[in-house]
Amino acid sequence: MRVFIHTGTFLGLLLCASAVFAQARLEVQVEPARASLRTNIEGYVGELGERDEQALRRLAPAAEAQARSAAEALGYYHAQISSEVRPGDPPTLILHVIPGEPVRLRRVEIRIEGPAAQLEAFRVPQGRRLRPGAQLNHGRYESAKKLIQNQASRFGFFAGRFTRQRLFVDPAAGVADIELVYASGPRYRLGEVVFEGETPFEDAFMRRMVPFEAGAPYDSELIARLQQNLQARGYFEGVRVDASPAGVNGQVVPVLVQLHMRKPRSFGIGAGFSTDVGPRGRLNWTRHWANPQGHSYGAEMELSQPKQNVGFWYDIPLDPPMTDKLRFVGGYQFEELADTDTRSRLLKVGPEWHRRLDNGWQQVFSLKWQREEYRYGSDNGLSTLLLPGVAYSYLNSDHPLDPSRGYRLQVEMAAASEGLLSDANLLYSSAMLKGLTTLAGRHRLLGRLQLGGNFTDEYTTVPPSLRFFAGGDQSVRGYEYQTLSPTNSDGDHIGGRYMIAGSLEYQYALLDKWRIATFIDQGNAFNSETSPDLKTGVGFGVRWVSPVGPLRVDVAHGIEDNSFRLHFSMGPEL
């Protein structure tokens, strides 16, 4: 017997969800065992409903036919299927299935013709399951067709069609042939982007957010990127991009963008608490656009017992305006360090050039002038520095608030030269690496390494803001915030030339939102790189995954000081 099967014959046979029965039960016994076959039969037969024993006997022939269709969908054309009804409450319909030898592929021809064949990104379905000798599976045949059609839709081959689409099965010989030939036709192109809606921006600025030129080959990824670009900049409350090929004259697809502006100003207020700084409050005000060129500005303030600061910023979008900008910043900060008689009053101003590199790194070039008045116990000082600097950061994470794996890298360097608006020679550098992985769904491993160093021949003139302190929630737990550092003769913590701090933490997920953790931290700030006196903290804690990120409560023991500390903090772990 020979069977010709055309497109769509077996659509819907490959259901994989196990049935849940209200009354009568279905039991599928496959010998030898084939889990995929059993699951497919269960899904295709479906629920038996509220049937008694006699009703199940009347249903049995239809269930056998359904099981046979489900078996053929997976290539089992010689399956032996029988049924029986087992009395009980509820009664059970048992399907006995002996699969037999499956039909295997003999010839497979999948070919793309036309311009799409020259497009490297247009992938031809292939793989070991679509090669001669592989077991026939109607779902894979349909998936191959769907993959071709989806790619044609993505890359703008809207006139494409299958000139040959055939699945030929010879059950007697136990072989099948697949023939799929797709003629792509011409590739459509993207037309000029038309913006609709009241906006204050000039057309040239809006064009800088369009990731393609008019006449570019159609690619739905470019349309998605246009939508993302417009949403990412923060100007608009709603963005809708329409690039439908329906009703197109010729081969140019018009791109219509409907925009709804957000309110021009926003104000935010927040509060928090950590054992490092205690209660803290935050205020911010933002003007999201100031002119037709898309400039924006704002102010922010943060208040806590040891630190108070206020800052201002002004942004000028660069190219591309979603990621690159020139920012002018200024601010004033008062800080009491390490809960001792060490204080700092810092005034800072200067430009920053923010740029996102093609490899995903964030790059910031800066030129900051800072004036810092400080006191170490009874010693007062005044520092003026002009600090050109550079910073790089990279984040790879599978979730913005509660990732299960990923890593973060940050590197920063700045320098000052005596006589160039600076009263000291100085090279400042710091680096941080965080990593997170999850094993078997419940076991999480989190690591952190922080490094810092100051290189100068006049260390006594280095202000507190450029010295290093360790200890606290984000450093070495078990020790108070900023208390790991050199001290002066009065016992005041004055910061060190160098700093190193590391942490290893294991977390176990008890429930969906609750985890327990154990950790070991080690580090210190010091002046001699040859003999650092590292302090160690160990402990355990609890994590609750809140809507704004994990809340962390830790009990830590500082081994060298034989101290115990309760630490509370919140926020993403990367």
Side-chain angles (χ1 to χ4, degrees):
M1 177 180 66
R2 297 192 174 204
V3 181
F4 265 104
I5 300 175
H6 297 281
T7 307
T9 301
F10 288 92
L11 285 175
L13 298 185
L14 302 179
L15 301 175
C16 297
S18 297
V20 179
F21 305 105
Q23 290 293 332
R25 295 178 61 249
L26 172 67
E27 183 178 319
V28 180
Q29 298 179 358
V30 181
E31 298 179 5
R34 300 284 189 274
S36 59
L37 176 56
R38 178 177 57 81
T39 301
N40 206 48
I41 292 174
E42 291 173 343
Y44 194 64
V45 174
E47 297 183 1
L48 299 183
E50 298 182 2
R51 286 182 169 89
D52 59 16
E53 181 180 339
Q54 293 302 318
L56 282 188
R57 293 187 189 279
R58 292 192 296 270
L59 178 67
E64 290 181 19
Q66 292 172 321
R68 188 170 305 280
S69 296
E72 290 177 355
L74 297 183
Y76 295 104
Y77 275 76
H78 303 291
Q80 300 177 30
I81 301 174
S82 60
S83 64
E84 65 172 302
V85 175
R86 183 170 62 205
D89 186 16
T92 302
L93 173 62
I94 303 174
L95 294 176
H96 299 279
V97 182
I98 300 175
E101 282 298 314
V103 171
R104 297 193 177 275
L105 297 177
R106 178 177 56 185
R107 288 192 296 271
V108 178
E109 181 183 9
I110 303 178
R111 189 172 72 251
I112 309 298
E113 296 178 342
Q118 311 303 318
L119 184 61
E120 185 177 349
F122 200 109
R123 185 163 57 91
V124 179
Q126 56 187 347
R128 61 183 180 84
R129 294 183 176 181
L130 283 174
R131 293 174 184 169
Q135 181 173 331
L136 170 64
N137 185 308
H138 292 271
R140 297 190 191 111
Y141 169 75
E142 297 295 340
S143 294
K145 289 172 53 183
K146 194 66 175 177
L147 176 61
I148 293 172
Q149 292 169 328
N150 288 344
Q151 290 183 104
S153 178
R154 173 193 164 175
F155 292 115
F157 296 100
F158 298 118
R161 63 185 182 89
F162 284 103
T163 57
R164 305 282 308 266
Q165 48 178 329
R166 189 183 73 142
L167 173 57
F168 169 75
V169 181
D170 186 346
V175 296
D177 299 330
I178 289 177
E179 187 176 16
L180 288 175
V181 180
Y182 188 82
S184 69
R187 187 177 185 183
Y188 284 40
R189 297 187 172 273
L190 291 165
E192 189 77 28
V193 177
V194 177
F195 295 100
E196 291 187 347
E198 294 276 340
T199 74
F201 307 119
E202 58 187 23
D203 188 67
F205 174 69
M206 296 298 297
R207 298 288 166 196
R208 287 161 53 193
M209 288 186 273
V210 179
F212 55 85
E213 298 290 337
Y218 184 97
D219 188 338
S220 63
E221 290 294 317
L222 293 175
I223 301 301
R225 198 182 309 165
L226 171 61
Q227 175 122 7
Q228 293 168 0
N229 289 352
L230 293 169
Q231 290 174 332
R233 197 59 186 89
Y235 297 134
F236 308 106
E237 186 177 72
V239 177
R240 180 181 175 185
V241 180
D242 183 9
S244 171
V248 169
N249 292 321
Q251 298 170 9
V252 178
V253 179
V255 182
L256 178 64
V257 181
Q258 295 179 335
L259 300 170
H260 299 280
M261 296 298 298
R262 70 177 298 172
K263 293 182 179 180
R265 303 172 185 84
S266 64
F267 175 78
I269 183 170
F273 177 86
S274 76
T275 45
D276 277 353
V277 300
R280 65 173 180 264
R282 182 188 296 268
L283 302 172
N284 64 74
W285 178 88
T286 303
R287 167 75 184 194
H288 297 285
W289 67 89
N291 54 33
Q293 292 75 42
H295 295 194
S296 57
Y297 56 87
E300 54 194 4
M301 176 185 297
E302 185 171 349
L303 302 174
S304 65
Q305 188 278 324
K307 182 189 294 186
Q308 303 91 48
N309 63 63
V310 59
F312 306 90
W313 54 268
Y314 189 98
D315 283 355
I316 301 175
L318 301 178
D319 196 14
M322 303 77 61
T323 58
D324 295 9
K325 63 187 175 185
L326 180 63
R327 166 171 282 199
F328 294 92
V329 298
Y332 173 81
Q333 173 179 288
F334 172 80
E335 183 175 12
E336 179 182 304
L337 292 97
D339 199 24
T340 63
D341 200 17
T342 299
R343 289 174 169 78
S344 164
R345 291 178 173 85
L346 173 63
L347 178 65
K348 185 183 293 188
V349 64
E352 299 174 346
W353 175 32
H354 293 248
R355 183 187 178 201
R356 181 181 175 87
L357 305 181
D358 293 338
N359 57 14
W361 282 82
Q362 296 285 345
Q363 173 185 271
V364 180
F365 288 112
S366 61
L367 181 63
K368 300 289 182 60
W369 177 85
Q370 70 172 51
R371 178 181 176 86
E372 186 168 0
E373 183 181 353
Y374 56 91
R375 184 178 73 192
Y376 296 125
S378 58
D379 297 329
N380 297 323
L382 179 63
S383 168
T384 301
L385 297 171
L386 181 66
L387 292 162
V390 62
Y392 288 92
S393 63
Y394 185 86
L395 174 62
N396 182 303
S397 174
D398 60 359
H399 193 277
L401 293 178
D402 184 39
S404 61
R405 56 183 48 86
Y407 59 91
R408 178 187 290 273
L409 291 166
Q410 292 180 205
V411 180
E412 180 182 1
M413 294 187 67
S417 177
E418 186 176 6
L420 295 177
L421 300 180
S422 302
D423 50 25
N425 294 313
L426 173 67
L427 176 62
Y428 170 90
S429 63
S430 67
M432 183 186 71
L433 167 64
K434 286 184 176 182
L436 171 67
T437 188
T438 301
L439 305 174
R442 291 183 175 270
H443 307 274
R444 296 163 57 90
L445 298 174
L446 179 64
R448 167 176 48 86
L449 177 63
Q450 297 168 278
L451 302 170
N454 272 321
F455 304 93
T456 178
D457 52 2
E458 302 173 69
Y459 185 67
T460 56
T461 64
V462 177
S465 64
L466 295 175
R467 297 191 181 193
F468 294 98
F469 299 82
D473 303 339
Q474 308 300 316
S475 181
V476 182
R477 286 164 287 188
Y479 299 86
E480 289 189 47
Y481 179 53
Q482 295 184 331
T483 58
L484 296 183
S485 84
T487 58
N488 61 12
S489 57
D490 297 326
D492 300 312
H493 295 280
I494 61 174
R497 286 174 175 258
Y498 312 103
M499 185 272 293
I500 182 171
S503 174
L504 287 175
E505 179 170 311
Y506 166 75
Q507 300 176 4
Y508 178 76
L510 291 172
L511 299 170
D512 185 39
K513 300 292 185 182
W514 290 91
R515 303 171 187 141
I516 56 174
T518 183
F519 56 85
I520 177 171
D521 297 346
Q522 193 171 58
N524 206 346
F526 45 91
N527 286 330
S528 174
E529 70 275 21
T530 58
S531 57
D533 180 20
L534 300 184
K535 305 294 185 180
T536 303
V538 297
F540 62 92
V542 177
R543 310 285 181 264
W544 176 62
V545 184
S546 77
V548 295
L551 296 176
R552 296 178 287 272
V553 179
D554 294 318
V555 177
H557 173 50
I559 292 179
E560 285 77 12
D561 290 2
N562 196 29
S563 58
F564 287 89
R565 292 280 299 170
L566 178 67
H567 295 276
F568 177 87
S569 60
M570 66 180 298
E573 293 179 313
L574 289 180

